[in-house]
Amino acid sequence: MDFLYLVVPLLLLGVVLAAVWLDRWSVPVILVALGVGIVVGSDVLGIWHFDNVEAANNLANAALVFILFHGGLATKQTDFKAVALPAGGMATWGVILTAATTSAFLHFVLGWETSMSLLLGVLISSTDAAATFSILRRQSLPSKLSSTIEIESAANDPMAILLTLVVVEGLSSGSSGGLLIVPLFLWKFLAGPLIGWLMARGALAIFNRLNPQERGYYYVLLLAVVLLTYGVSELARASGMLAVFTAGFVMGNRHFIYKQGIRNFSAALSMIANIGVFVMMGLLVFPSQWSTLWINGIILFLVLTFIARPAAVWLGTFGMKLGTRERHFMCWAGLRGAVPIVLATYPMAAGLPIGEEVFNLVFFAVLLSISMQGSTLGTLARRLGLSEPARPQPRYGLELVAMAHSDLDLFVIDLPGPQGRPGQRIRDLALPPRALITLVTRGREVVAPTGHTRLLGWDQVTVLARAEDEEEVRAALLQPFERPVEPEEPTTRVLDVEPTLSPRAADAGPRKTILLGHGRVGAVLADFLRRRRLPFIVIEQDLTTVDGLRRAGVPVIHGEGGKPAVLESAGIADARLLLITSAEPVTVRRAVEYARQVNPAIEIVIRVHQPAEFNQLSAIPQTQCIYGEMEIAYAMARLMLLASGVSVIEAEAILMDARRDQSGPGIPRTRITEIHVPATSPAIGKKLSELGLPRGTLLITISRNDEFVVPNGQTEILADDALLVLADTEAARRIEQLVLPSPADAS
């Protein structure tokens, strides 16, 4: 008992520490576990003498059950559909082609015994998912290629197990059972998935209806479901391994209560099973026995790697639109791992005379495959031009642990490169109505998402949305990155600590306009200011936008618009107008308060996003608020009135009255007034911009010498002009005072 509590934990601790240290050289954890088992075993340090083949076989079978279940659970149906033909083909007839080619070459070319050739062919016919995943995910491969290899490695184990069971049973039962091999194979292949599907559907019903308050019960339920699926299938003489893989695949692609917790628990069980079974296989092997068979082990590896695997890839993917480079890479990516070694215990457990030799040969060939192919796979991908260094794995993440029915789920979406490539701001994304970005992970940095946040290449975005909206969410996030990267667009982001003023900002002059925010709305406002040649300066927090404005010669300050230092740098104290388009309520409030404090006479115009903001900010003196949805309604109303035959002038009057009605009772109604300019008017010779018309009025047109003049700020007032003004009574009276001579002048 002391041995169990001392040696086993030290073994596991050694595996983890060594795996983490060797991870920088892309050494798979299964190779580390094998090495630890061999070193601790009888032939090296002799700490643990383990040669119980039957116990090893039983434990390995139990481990495979959970490894295969998690392989199915982690296989996405959407990914499988995208590469169904090549991945599904390699996982089924590709395994058969590998086994047949290996067996045929060993027997007919090298002259090995029939039973030995047949066993070795089926035992080593599947690739290893754990080793393949750990190496491939370090490289940025084309999605179709990586999905094909990963799904093949996750889905081909059941076929290899099925072939092994049929061959071992055939060899164990002798020639009399030969005629039953084909029907036995068909039964195992067809009945196993059916049983797995039925058990998965039953499990989903239990998970969704039982709904216990204690989440630990779900883990017990999962153990029961996985083991019962395997047990029922074996009792029916079907393939239990194929059944548990199918059950995992069905459950992994359905929504059920506490799915995320179950997925995490299954991943932990799979990792424990993987490491445990490889340590055990390392203990079971005796390297001293390799002295007489290492040459055959090398031959087996060479036949498998350079003959059988290429034949399976080129024949198994014929006509599937895979390029030559992709096929070459797939040939070398056929890493062998856990399943072949576990299956190699079957002949020994069945009592076959060649069982021990077969186990050692398979073990030696797998060791060569993991060490040689695994260490060179990334180099080959780069040499073939298929790979770039992959992005580092994010260190942060969110999980939605649902203990009740919900149509919401968390989706994690990796944005494409290059790293730092600017995408859209979150507020500009066309996300579904109920979708919410909850986390943005940027390398080792966690970004708290707001509407102002700009997404960058290589960001990992976590979105809370309805399950049926997943594709729409992915499209909204990925489409902005499909356009080519413009050469002048910077690919790195260095944030200024202090606000910095562009060279031309100091020349903006007094009484300028300050534009806080240069998004889509801010860009339109800046264009109007530029057209009218009005002095202005922009405050913008996004460095990409700042760089673009500076290159265009626009005066701009980089910083947060709510900070006094930034507003002071922009010249808020003597500014005439403050335009705020920012979507951050805190920034808006701070900017307004500070502007009012240092410049009480400043006019403020704010774009608001909520009715509550509109009501609060509109109450501030000399502050006008524009509520987007309201303005859309007025614009539609204008078009509606014009389409109904209402004149332009009457339509504007109706809209102005509607705005006044909304502002509250007691506001005078507007009317169209004609004001005649006499020859003695003090306004003669003045430009409209100098006249000082009251706010809230509209000079529609000027009647001059039987013609109509469209007025603008530079239009001069002439004698005998007739001004057609849209205004309320008080405003019209004030305009008359500006235009008509005073009584003293008249006398």
Side-chain angles (χ1 to χ4, degrees), residues 318-382:
F318 181 77
M320 294 182 184
K321 297 182 181 179
L322 283 174
T324 303
R325 292 183 303 163
E326 286 77 6
R327 283 191 170 93
H328 282 313
F329 184 78
M330 286 183 64
C331 292
W332 194 246
L335 276 71
R336 312 295 138 166
V339 173
I341 295 179
V342 172
L343 295 182
T345 63
Y346 284 26
M348 288 195 295
L352 294 179
I354 58 174
E356 186 174 348
E357 183 180 359
V358 166
F359 176 81
N360 283 302
L361 284 172
V362 170
F363 192 100
F364 192 82
V366 168
L367 202 60
L368 289 177
S369 175
I370 296 175
S371 57
M372 295 184 65
Q373 292 175 270
S375 61
T376 58
L377 199 59
T379 303
L380 178 64
R382 290 189 293 272

Side-chain angles (χ1 to χ4, degrees), residues 103 106-108 111-121 167 171 354:
S103 300
L106 293 177
H107 178 64
F108 294 107
W112 291 18
E113 294 180 5
T114 304
S115 56
M116 173 75 75
S117 303
L118 193 58
L119 273 175
L120 290 174
V167 171
L171 293 176
I354 58 174

Side-chain angles (χ1 to χ4, degrees), residues 231-423:
V232 170
S233 301
E234 289 297 311
L235 185 64
R237 299 298 298 273
S239 172
M241 299 298 181
L242 196 54
V244 294
F245 180 85
T246 304
F249 180 78
V250 172
M251 294 183 68
N253 289 279
R254 297 290 189 278
H255 291 279
F256 58 91
I257 293 177
Y258 203 52
K259 179 179 179 179
Q260 187 60 52
I262 290 298
R263 184 181 293 166
N264 294 339
F265 182 61
S266 176
L269 286 177
S270 177
M271 177 60 74
I272 294 171
N274 251 313
I275 292 177
V277 77
F278 272 92
V279 171
M280 184 179 64
M281 292 299 117
L283 292 170
L284 187 62
V285 74
F286 290 83
S288 60
Q289 298 173 356
W290 294 351
S291 59
T292 59
L293 54 80
W294 64 270
I295 294 179
N296 286 342
I298 294 175
I299 291 173
L300 175 60
F301 168 71
L302 294 176
V303 170
L304 174 70
T305 306
F306 295 100
I307 298 175
R309 174 68 178 180
V313 170
W314 286 89
L315 293 175
T317 61
F318 181 77
M320 294 182 184
K321 297 182 181 179
L322 283 174
T324 303
R325 292 183 303 163
E326 286 77 6
R327 283 191 170 93
H328 282 313
F329 184 78
M330 286 183 64
C331 292
W332 194 246
L335 276 71
R336 312 295 138 166
V339 173
I341 295 179
V342 172
L343 295 182
T345 63
Y346 284 26
M348 288 195 295
L352 294 179
I354 58 174
E356 186 174 348
E357 183 180 359
V358 166
F359 176 81
N360 283 302
L361 284 172
V362 170
F363 192 100
F364 192 82
V366 168
L367 202 60
L368 289 177
S369 175
I370 296 175
S371 57
M372 295 184 65
Q373 292 175 270
S375 61
T376 58
L377 199 59
T379 303
L380 178 64
R382 290 189 293 272
R383 290 287 181 87
L384 292 174
L386 296 172
S387 170
E388 297 175 355
R391 69 188 70 183
Q393 291 297 315
R395 299 299 183 96
Y396 310 94
L398 294 177
E399 296 177 352
L400 180 64
V401 180
M403 298 290 290
H405 288 285
S406 174
D407 63 342
L408 296 175
D409 202 355
L410 281 175
F411 307 111
V412 179
I413 300 170
D414 293 321
L415 300 185
Q419 184 178 8
R421 173 183 176 178

Side-chain angles (χ1 to χ4, degrees), residues 425 427 452 499-501 512-519 522 536-542 545-546 549 554-572 578-582 587 591:
R425 292 183 181 179
R427 68 181 181 220
H452 186 77
T500 54
L501 189 63
K512 57 181 168 289
T513 295
I514 297 176
L515 176 57
L516 202 164
H518 197 274
F536 72 97
I537 187 169
V538 177
I539 297 176
E540 175 56 50
Q541 191 171 0
D542 182 73
T545 304
V546 170
L549 291 173
V554 177
V556 58
I557 288 179
H558 175 222
E560 183 184 336
K563 292 184 177 180
V566 177
L567 292 168
E568 288 175 5
S569 299
I572 191 69
L578 174 62
L579 299 176
I580 303 178
T581 66
S582 173
T587 299

